[in-house]
Amino acid sequence: MERCENSIGEQEKRVVKFIRGRTRVVHNVSSDLRVTLRCGPCGAIRLSIFRLNLISHINFWELTPSSSSSWIWKKLCKLRLIGRHFLVCDVGSGETASFWHDNWTRLGPLIHVTGNNGPLTVGMPLTDVVRDALRGRSWWIASSRSRNPIIALLRSSVLDPESMIDCMHDDVYLWKADHHAPSNMFSAAKTWPALHPNGVPFPWHKSVWFKDRVPKHAFICWVVAWNRLHTRDRLRSWGLNTPSVCVLCYVVDETHNHLFFQCHFSGEVWRFCTLRAGLTPPSQFMASLLWLKSASTFKNLSLIIKLLFQASVYLIWRGRNLRIHSNNFRNPPQIIKEIQLLVRARLDPLSRLQSSGPL
Ligand SMILES: [Zn+2]
């Protein structure tokens, strides 16, 4: 650690090597951007190098990295816009937290609420820490008689200063992701959904991404659901000089809807898969996808139908590609046989896991 503080270049290199070499790294961002690296039996090592050498006396939220700064430092500065939303400050003695920049009130960073005129209006410089706002045992703005709306807003939002006045411990910076309680541990699992909120699920979602699916079959099915396969009608719409006719039947132009399952070739495959179960699925791909959700009330049969459907889509598309690129012509019975083999291979380990009998 002592050697680490000798030069900026050396420190940054060591930090990067340290991070790469450990399997469990927990980042805890504090006011001086100390980075806590916890590495199993090695315990916790705190590095204040960023503050010492990279930030100096400039507020972290305001500084602009120089053009000669390292890549990792510039990257970290860019991430401030995203990370700031998650950082909250639990004020202890108030000697570290920035009055204007840190998120220590229910309003968030006060500079965002008041704008750049805030410090001038309130009479507190941008560099003030929270404790600087005390006069005796109360906030100085509490005694202000100003009717300025900014001062009135701050007066109503600041905390009770009593707990801070005699406090001996430092301010603590916590990570708060959405509705989760603030924590001194960074959680990727909680942060990811906060950054990427789930959209409204599509009605066919569970017909594609169901438990026990075959991943590559589900993926192709998902691509078809979005009409994103490179079918001949799409290639031609992009200006490519390619034949338009379906290579499975050589009768109708190739489109998503034709391939799945209006083509008599693919229709024969899909119908055979459901015939034995006495089911009559729709002939359109999307209608079939929605139909799968309620195709059977029996859990095992429902799973089998979904697996058959996805295997059919996968192998029909594969059969079409083999015809075009390898001159390999397979007829519907050959594809049906392959579907049966694939689905059996998927069901065998599942049936062994089931304690309530075979599928
Ligand atoms: Zn066709």
Side-chain angles (χ1 to χ4, degrees), residues 278-292:
L279 301 171
T280 49
S283 58
Q284 294 272 357
F285 174 85
M286 188 50 72
S288 296
L289 208 53
L290 296 170
W291 169 82
L292 286 174

Side-chain angles (χ1 to χ4, degrees), residues 178-232:
D178 278 354
H179 58 279
H180 297 285
S183 167
N184 61 353
M185 301 285 284
F186 171 78
S187 166
K190 292 174 183 171
T191 306
W192 176 264
L195 288 172
H196 307 277
N198 290 330
V200 179
F202 284 83
W204 44 262
H205 175 263
K206 288 188 177 176
S207 299
V208 175
W209 305 114
F210 57 89
K211 187 173 175 284
D212 299 325
R213 63 187 176 270
V214 178
K216 64 181 179 182
H217 296 179
F219 175 73
I220 290 295
C221 206
W222 175 72
V223 176
V224 177
W226 283 104
N227 282 335
R228 288 296 184 270
L229 285 181
H230 290 179
T231 49
R232 287 184 155 180

